[in-house]
Amino acid sequence: MTPQTNTPETIRLRSILLDLARHQDDLAATEAAVTPYWCPCPPSVLGHRTAAAALRAQADLVA
């Protein structure tokens, strides 16, 4: 794989990926916050956190 250059398009793409990752983190936090402490976290919380991590990994590849 060839290294990416910092073109306006790659900078914008990285920004979009990081925004999507933040949104996934926010969704996970919101869902976890409404879950009573005696209940296990819903699987969707783990899904949102995993999606956020994958989006950040892709953003790092674009940089």
Side-chain angles (χ1 to χ4, degrees), residues 4-16 59 62-63:
Q4 298 288 330
T5 59
N6 283 334
T7 64
E9 293 82 12
T10 58
I11 293 168
R12 178 69 180 134
L13 177 58
R14 185 171 193 280
S15 174
I16 290 169
V62 172

Side-chain angles (χ1 to χ4, degrees), residues 2 10 16 23 31-32 35-37 44 46 48 52-53 56 58-60 62:
T2 60
T10 58
I16 290 169
H23 180 66
E31 288 183 25
T35 304
Y37 71 89
S44 58
L46 178 59
H48 289 304
R56 279 193 203 86
Q58 286 300 311
D60 288 343
V62 172

Side-chain angles (χ1 to χ4, degrees), residues 38-62:
W38 60 86
C39 294
C41 274
S44 58
V45 172
L46 178 59
H48 289 304
R49 290 177 180 159
T50 302
L55 288 162
R56 279 193 203 86
Q58 286 300 311
D60 288 343
L61 291 176
V62 172

